[in-house]
């Protein structure tokens, strides 16, 4: 929000300096973001006159100007290249040492083509206060010589810019700022009264409200106006705060919006169709706004329409079809009240930002709807003439009247300052709050119409963890509590926010809460795990080729892109494996993968028949590095399974709760792959070798091992109370078993049966060998299983070990039919 000191004087009678005003604004919560003081920025420029202009002897486009610029510069020579420099012209002169803001340079005396030049004749653009010109600025004949140009042009009016918090819509006007400064003791607020303008006859244009987002609309027709440029005072006011003067009719609405905070709009009445203006919803119309934007309006957009269609985006911007021009003779002035949430949603959806929208979003004074229209009417008639009609209105001014109470002790307990009760009441009354009731310990105030943020009745949402009784008790008093807090805030900021002591917020816990969610922590854990296992992380596009997708699952039409960035990136990926195989192929083609380096992983989103999900995938290719006594080898399905099981273990999934089945997806090798499940139905991931057909499609040779983990399906571990681990002082005991099992027996069932033989002593079961042929009967295989026993109190005797081995043998035979190989 910008305002000039001269504009502030219209509402506030003060003698304070610019520094005092800025200090006070900061003290009461209206933070000063900047001050533009032209008397400092344009210091040194003087009014002058060209006594004589002659052609430069050595340059066709330069002139030697003999200039008079007052005392000390009665006659100086300036070399000037402006085409309009001529004898007798009154100009702006910059003597040596003057800084030129438009050119970012400082004038120095010197010679130009051999001729002395002791200054510069300037254009408004070079002063930074005008547009591009064809020459130097021309002042009126009779302009005084040697006067500061800033004072001569009446530019000695500092402009202050302040930051406005979202709850202070009342401070988006010069009067609102003046009211706060007066309450802070920096002057006396002048009364603002507008007289009712008597209309002549009923308005032929009537309002029709067809939308709940507009509760009150007023307007009137003014016939016979003469539009044109605004007077100098109005232009200066608007331009000082960064608004471009357009025409008298438009400038009046912008002036009142900045002056009292009342957005208005004027329609060219002769360009409206029919005799009614309707507040309604959009229906897909194409609407051309005043700024030239083409907008497509939806059912959620509030519009003002006549019989021909939409003429204005209500509360945001008018339409080009009904805009006023220099030929306008009849205007309809609109002043209405719109729902701030509806205005905000429409503005964000359409991407339209205007000063009117900015104010409606933050709340405007509901009591200014009618008086703002009267003020606009009076000013239009004064500047443009015309005959106003009676006011037409629809709806009614909302019941904005409300009260708020203040317990004086809360100024200290909540605000941290000891303030006398009489002083607090004095401050609130200066801000427009009127005392309704007064007691020794509290007072009840009526809230002024312009403070829609106080006692508004929009309580904060309650915590979901509150029990029903507490929630009901809190809800019964929350409005009164928040209104009281608003009053405490008002007293404190006028007293001075700098005086409020700084108090640290209490800590809920000595140990701060984690800065990441459980899902984010799991993702970081898996990245570290994979990197530690020798896999390099990649980040691929979520888009892949539909031909690649066909090898993994049947692509869905909704996953196809209508406008892909490339022909081979035209479908959402069903798995990161596609990206990883492409990366593996490129690395192998460039000679990588012969030292154990061709191993990659990615953690990212996937799409497809199973919906959107987060997947960790990894691939291994190439051959391992050669070493003494060790030959190079390709990765196998066991490597992929180890990667997958390590990831699940890191996520807190107990290995004993998992089982493997051979029904992996079709892009896995049918005999060297598996599915890891938790229970009979919950699939957590896949592992195995890549199907040769898929490998050929990606140009890969040799064995490629891969795994996938669907993180969304891995349950979060239950939060348990952490206790110190029980560490045995005894050495673990390991025993090997060789079971003879049929080919139809699942290895997972054998391992599970071994674990169940003694759940206390057996701490780990691992398959270390599978043997077929030789002395093993046909249709059978020998399974080598290593069992780890961990005694806790006493060492195991031979008898106990024999009994345990017998129990393991019996448990496996009962569960799977496998027998101990002798």
């Amino acid at each position: 929000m910008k305002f000039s000191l001269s504009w502030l004087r219209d509402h506030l009678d003060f003698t304070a300096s610019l520094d005092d005003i800025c200090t006070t604004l900061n003290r009461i919560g209206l933070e000063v973001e900047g001050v533009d003081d032209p008397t400092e920025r344009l210091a040194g420029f003087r009014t002058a006159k060209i006594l004589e202009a002659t052609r430069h002897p050595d340059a066709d486009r330069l002139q030697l100007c003999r200039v008079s610029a007052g005392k000390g510069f009665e006659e100086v020579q300036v070399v000037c290249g402006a085409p309009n420099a001529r004898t007798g012209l009154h100009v702006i002169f910059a003597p040596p040492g003057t800084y030129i803001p438009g050119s970012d340079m400082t004038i120095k005396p010197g010679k130009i083509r051999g001729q002395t030049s002791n200054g510069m004749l300037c254009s408004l653009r070079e002063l930074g206060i005008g547009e591009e010109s064809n020459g130097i600025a021309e002042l009126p004949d009779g302009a005084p010589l040697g006067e500061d140009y800033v004072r001569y042009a009446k530019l000695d009016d500092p402009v202050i810019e302040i930051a406005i918090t979202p709850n202070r819509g009342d401070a988006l006007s010069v009067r609102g700022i003046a009211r706060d400064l007066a309450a802070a003791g920096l002057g006396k607020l002048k009364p603002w009264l507008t007289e009712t303008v008597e209309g002549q006859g009923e308005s032929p244009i009537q309002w029709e409200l067809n939308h709940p987002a507009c509760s009150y609309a007023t307007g009137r027709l003014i016939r016979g106006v003469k539009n044109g440029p605004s007077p100098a005072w109005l232009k200066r006011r608007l331009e000082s705060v960064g608004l471009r003067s357009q025409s008298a009719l438009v400038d009046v609405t912008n002036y009142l919006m900045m002056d009292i905070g009342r957005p208005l709009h004027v329609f060219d009445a002769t360009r409206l169709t029919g005799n009614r203006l309707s507040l309604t919803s959009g229906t897909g119309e194409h609407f051309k706004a005043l700024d030239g934007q083409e907008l497509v309006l939806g059912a959620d957009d509030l519009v003002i329409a006549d019989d021909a269609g939409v003429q204005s985006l209500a509360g945001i911007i008018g339409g080009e079809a009904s805009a006023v021009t220099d030929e306008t003779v009849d205007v309809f002035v609109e002043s209405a009240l719109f729902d701030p949430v509806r205005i905000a949603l429409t503005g964000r959806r359409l991407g339209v930002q205007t000063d009117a929208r900015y104010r409606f979003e933050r709340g405007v004074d509901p009591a200014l709807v009618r008086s703002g229209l009267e003020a606009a009417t009076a000013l239009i008639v004064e500047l443009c003439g015309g005959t106003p009609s009676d006011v037409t209105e629809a709806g009614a001014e909302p019941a904005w009247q409300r009260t708020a109470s203040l317990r004086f002790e809360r100024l200290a307990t909540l605000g941290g300052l000891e303030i006398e009760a009489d002083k607090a009441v004095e401050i609130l009354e200066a801000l427009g709050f009127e005392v309704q009731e007064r007691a020794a310990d509290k007072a009840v105030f009526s809230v002024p119409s312009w403070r829609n943020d106080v006692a508004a009745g929009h309580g904060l949402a309650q915590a979901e963890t509150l029990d029903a009784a507490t929630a009901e008790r809190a809800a019964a008093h929350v409005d009164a509590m928040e209104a009281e807090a608003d009053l405490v805030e008002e007293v404190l900021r006028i007293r001075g926010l700098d005086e409020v002591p700084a108090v640290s917020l209490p800590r809920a816990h000595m140990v701060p809460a984690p800065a990441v969610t459980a899902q984010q922590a799991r993702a970081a854990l898996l990245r570290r795990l994979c990197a530690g296992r020798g896999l390099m992380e990649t980040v691929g596009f979520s888009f892949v080729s539909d031909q690649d997708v066909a090898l993994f699952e049947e692509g869905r039409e909704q996953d196809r892109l209508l406008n892909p960035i490339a022909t081979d990136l035209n479908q959402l990926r069903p798995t990161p494996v596609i990206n990883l195989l492409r990366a593996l192929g490129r690395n192998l083609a460039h000679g990588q993968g012969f030292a154990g380096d061709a191993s990659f992983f990615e953690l990212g989103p996937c799409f497809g028949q199973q919906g959107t999900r987060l997947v960790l995938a990894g691939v291994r290719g190439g051959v391992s590095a050669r070493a003494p006594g060790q030959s190079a080898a390709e990765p196998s399905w066991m490597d992929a399974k180890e990667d997958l099981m390590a990831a699940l273990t890191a996520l807190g999934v107990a290995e004993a709760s998992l089982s493997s089945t051979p029904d992996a997806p079709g892009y896995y090798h049918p005999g060297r792959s598996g599915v890891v499940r938790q229970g009979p139905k919950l699939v957590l991931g896949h592992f195995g070798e890549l199907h040769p057909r898929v490998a050929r499609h990606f140009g890969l040779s040799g064995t490629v091992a891969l795994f996938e983990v669907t993180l969304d399906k891995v349950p979060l571990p239950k939060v348990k109370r952490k206790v110190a681990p029980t560490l045995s002082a005894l050495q673990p005991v390991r025993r090997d078993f060789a079971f003879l099992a049929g080919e139809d027996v699942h290895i997972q069932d054998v391992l599970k049966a071994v674990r169940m033989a003694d759940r206390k002593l057996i701490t780990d079961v691992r398959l270390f060998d599978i043997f077929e042929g030789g002395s093993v009967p046909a249709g059978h295989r020998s399974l080598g299983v290593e069992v780890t026993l961990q005694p806790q109190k006493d060492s195991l005797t031979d008898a106990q070990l024999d009994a345990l081995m017998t129990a393991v043998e019996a448990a496996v035979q009962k569960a799977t039919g496998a027998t101990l190989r002798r």
Side-chain angles (χ1 to χ4, degrees):
M1 173 66 190
K2 293 182 178 181
F3 63 94
S4 64
L5 284 191
S6 64
W7 201 337
L8 183 65
R9 292 186 189 279
D10 288 353
H11 297 277
L12 186 67
D13 187 4
F14 66 94
T15 58
S17 66
L18 178 62
D19 289 342
D20 289 341
I21 292 174
C22 293
T23 300
T24 304
L25 288 171
N26 285 324
R27 181 168 58 86
I28 64 177
L30 301 177
E31 182 182 357
V32 176
E33 291 193 317
V35 178
D36 180 19
D37 190 354
T39 58
E40 297 180 359
R41 179 166 48 87
L42 301 178
F45 293 95
R46 306 162 66 96
T47 57
K49 179 180 180 180
I50 299 177
L51 302 177
E52 182 183 20
T54 59
R55 180 179 173 183
H56 191 290
D58 297 321
D60 293 339
R61 297 186 179 181
L62 299 178
Q63 297 188 73
L64 298 180
C65 298
R66 191 160 50 90
V67 178
S68 176
K71 185 176 181 180
F73 301 94
E74 287 81 0
E75 188 172 328
V76 295
Q77 178 172 289
V78 177
V79 178
C80 181
N84 62 331
R86 60 187 182 274
T87 301
L89 180 65
H90 287 258
V91 294
I92 303 173
F93 172 67
T98 303
Y99 175 73
I100 311 297
S103 303
D104 191 22
M105 58 179 286
T106 301
I107 298 299
K108 297 179 181 179
K111 289 187 177 182
I112 301 177
R113 293 288 186 95
Q115 297 294 324
T116 301
S117 182
N118 291 311
M120 178 179 178
L121 305 183
C122 304
S123 66
L124 294 180
R125 179 180 177 274
E126 288 165 329
L127 271 65
I129 58 175
E131 302 294 334
E132 182 69 41
S133 66
N134 295 323
I136 57 178
E138 299 187 11
L139 303 183
D141 293 340
L145 301 183
E147 185 175 346
D148 284 345
Y149 175 73
V150 173
R151 291 186 173 82
Y152 167 77
K154 297 182 179 179
L155 297 176
D156 53 340
D157 190 9
V159 175
I160 302 173
E161 183 175 5
I162 61 174
I164 303 296
T165 53
N167 65 317
R168 291 299 308 278
D170 64 298
L172 289 170
S173 66
V174 180
R175 181 159 187 83
I177 296 169
R179 185 186 299 114
D180 271 14
L181 288 173
L186 204 72
K188 183 178 181 182
L189 185 67
K190 298 179 181 179
W192 185 84
L193 299 173
T194 180
E195 297 182 358
T196 300
V197 179
E198 295 295 332
Q200 299 184 20
E202 183 180 357
S203 171
I205 301 175
Q206 300 292 316
W207 283 112
E208 183 178 287
L209 299 186
N210 295 319
H211 201 291
C214 179
S215 57
Y216 187 35
T218 66
R220 75 189 328 159
L221 183 71
I222 304 178
R223 297 184 177 91
V225 300
K226 183 175 179 57
N227 196 16
S230 296
W233 70 268
L234 182 53
K235 284 185 178 180
R236 282 197 302 270
R237 283 283 168 84
L238 296 179
E239 291 172 354
S240 68
V241 297
L243 295 178
R244 182 171 59 89
S245 175
Q246 300 180 52
S247 67
L249 290 172
V250 176
D251 289 354
V252 165
T253 62
N254 287 334
Y255 171 76
L256 290 174
M257 177 180 64
M258 302 296 296
D259 189 55
I260 61 174
R262 172 69 261 186
L264 302 147
H265 184 63
V266 287
F267 298 90
D268 188 329
T270 60
R271 303 174 73 179
L272 297 176
T273 303
N275 59 1
R276 66 183 177 87
L277 286 177
S278 175
L279 270 298
T280 184
S281 298
T283 56
E285 302 96 334
H286 287 261
F287 169 70
K288 190 169 185 179
L290 284 172
D291 59 1
Q293 290 191 73
E294 291 279 357
L295 305 174
V296 180
L297 307 179
D300 294 332
D301 301 327
L302 179 63
V303 301
I304 299 176
D306 64 2
D307 292 348
V310 177
Q311 299 299 329
S312 174
L313 193 57
I316 299 179
I317 193 170
E320 191 177 84
S322 57
V324 296
T325 64
D326 290 343
E327 288 73 35
T328 297
V329 293
D330 296 340
V331 295
F332 184 81
V333 186
E334 167 254 308
S335 178
L337 196 62
F338 305 112
D339 177 60
V341 175
R342 177 66 60 182
I343 297 297
L345 293 176
T346 296
R348 292 174 188 175
R349 190 185 74 81
L350 298 176
V352 180
Q353 178 68 337
T354 63
D355 290 324
R357 171 196 161 185
Y358 191 77
R359 283 160 175 78
F360 275 119
E361 284 181 351
R362 285 152 181 79
V364 298
D365 187 348
L368 274 183
V369 177
R370 180 64 181 266
S371 56
L373 177 65
E374 297 290 357
T377 302
L379 198 50
I380 289 175
V381 172
E382 177 186 342
L383 300 181
C384 305
T387 303
S389 70
D390 293 335
V391 174
T392 176
E393 59 184 11
E397 182 179 304
W400 53 264
Q401 294 81 2
R402 56 200 185 279
T403 60
S405 61
L406 172 64
R407 292 168 292 175
F408 299 124
E409 64 173 355
R410 296 294 283 163
L411 295 169
T413 58
L414 182 61
L417 279 183
E418 293 286 348
I419 301 177
E420 295 180 358
D422 291 341
K423 181 61 177 177
V425 172
E426 179 185 341
I427 289 174
L428 291 172
E429 286 182 326
L431 288 171
F433 296 85
E434 296 183 2
V435 178
Q436 299 293 310
E437 300 176 19
R438 174 73 188 271
D441 60 338
K442 65 177 292 187
V444 179
F445 300 86
S446 62
V447 181
S449 60
W450 55 82
R451 291 308 299 269
N452 52 67
D453 61 311
V454 179
H458 303 299
L460 297 177
Q462 293 182 334
E464 297 179 356
T465 55
L466 284 180
D467 60 86
T470 304
E472 182 179 359
R473 211 164 44 247
H477 305 288
V478 66
D479 288 344
M481 291 167 59
E482 292 191 5
E484 184 177 53
D486 289 336
L487 295 184
V488 171
E489 178 188 0
E490 292 304 300
V491 175
L492 292 180
R493 72 179 187 84
I494 297 300
R495 173 68 178 268
L497 294 177
D498 293 341
E499 296 186 27
V500 179
V503 178
S504 299
L505 291 173
R507 289 185 178 183
H509 304 282
M510 291 303 296
V511 178
V516 296
T517 64
Q519 289 78 3
Q520 292 171 328
R522 295 208 307 179
L525 174 64
L526 291 176
R527 289 189 172 96
R528 290 195 298 270
L529 172 74
C530 291
R533 294 184 62 83
L535 287 87
M536 181 178 294
E537 184 175 11
T538 67
V539 179
F541 281 120
S542 292
F543 312 128
V544 294
S545 167
D546 58 341
Q547 297 178 0
D548 291 346
V549 172
L551 296 171
F552 292 83
E553 68 176 39
E554 183 178 352
R556 302 187 305 170
E557 189 62 30
Q558 57 263 45
D559 294 331
R560 293 287 295 273
L561 304 182
L562 298 179
N563 186 23
I565 59 176
T567 56
D568 60 345
L569 298 173
N570 62 350
Q571 186 156 339
L572 292 170
R573 66 182 184 184
T575 172
V577 170
I578 298 176
N579 306 75
L580 294 174
L581 293 177
R582 289 293 181 195
L584 180 64
R586 286 191 294 270
N587 279 267
L588 293 178
H590 285 79
Q592 301 297 322
F594 297 99
D597 292 333
S599 302
F600 306 101
F601 80 93
E602 181 177 350
L603 196 161
C606 296
F607 315 85
Q609 296 175 2
Q610 300 180 46
T612 303
R613 60 203 188 283
L614 188 64
V615 174
L616 169 68
V619 299
R620 293 181 182 271
V623 293
S624 61
R626 294 180 294 176
Q630 179 180 343
S631 60
E634 294 181 339
S636 70
W637 63 270
M638 287 296 296
D639 297 317
K641 184 178 182 182
E642 288 178 2
D643 290 334
L644 186 148
M645 297 305 294
L648 293 178
T649 301
L651 295 177
V653 180
E655 186 176 351
S657 67
L658 302 175
S659 61
S660 299
T661 57
D663 52 334
Y667 51 92
Y668 284 88
H669 193 294
R672 303 173 187 170
S673 60
V675 177
V676 175
R677 302 173 183 269
Q678 190 175 43
K681 295 183 179 180
L682 183 59
V683 175
L684 301 184
H686 314 120
F687 66 91
E689 296 178 9
L690 185 65
H691 197 291
R693 171 176 52 84
V694 180
R696 286 194 298 272
H697 172 82
F698 287 94
L700 299 170
S701 59
T703 302
V704 176
L706 64 149
F707 72 92
E708 298 168 276
V709 180
T710 305
L711 297 186
D712 301 326
K713 294 185 178 181
V714 180
L716 289 170
K718 295 181 179 179
V719 179
K720 298 180 180 179
R721 183 180 179 183
K722 293 185 177 180
V723 296
T726 302
L727 301 177
S728 175
L730 304 174
Q731 289 284 350
V733 179
R734 291 181 175 85
R735 289 292 184 268
D736 293 343
F737 294 84
F739 292 104
L740 188 65
E743 292 181 344
D744 58 339
V745 174
H746 291 171
I747 297 176
Q748 195 71 36
D749 294 339
V750 175
L751 300 179
K752 183 177 181 181
V754 173
R755 290 191 188 96
M756 299 301 293
D758 192 321
R759 303 175 69 176
K760 292 184 178 179
L761 281 178
I762 298 177
T763 58
D764 188 33
V765 179
R766 188 175 67 87
L767 178 72
F768 68 87
D769 182 53
I770 300 177
F771 178 73
E772 296 177 339
S775 61
V776 176
H780 291 73
R781 53 185 174 177
S782 176
L783 305 179
V785 178
E786 180 186 74
V787 180
T788 302
L789 310 174
Q790 179 60 67
Q792 297 296 326
K793 296 182 179 179
D794 302 317
S795 298
L796 297 175
T797 64
D798 290 340
Q800 289 174 320
L801 287 174
D802 291 341
L804 181 60
M805 295 176 67
T806 302
V808 169
E809 180 182 357
V812 172
Q813 185 172 8
K814 180 179 179 181
T816 65
T819 59
L820 192 65
R821 186 181 174 192
R822 306 296 180 182

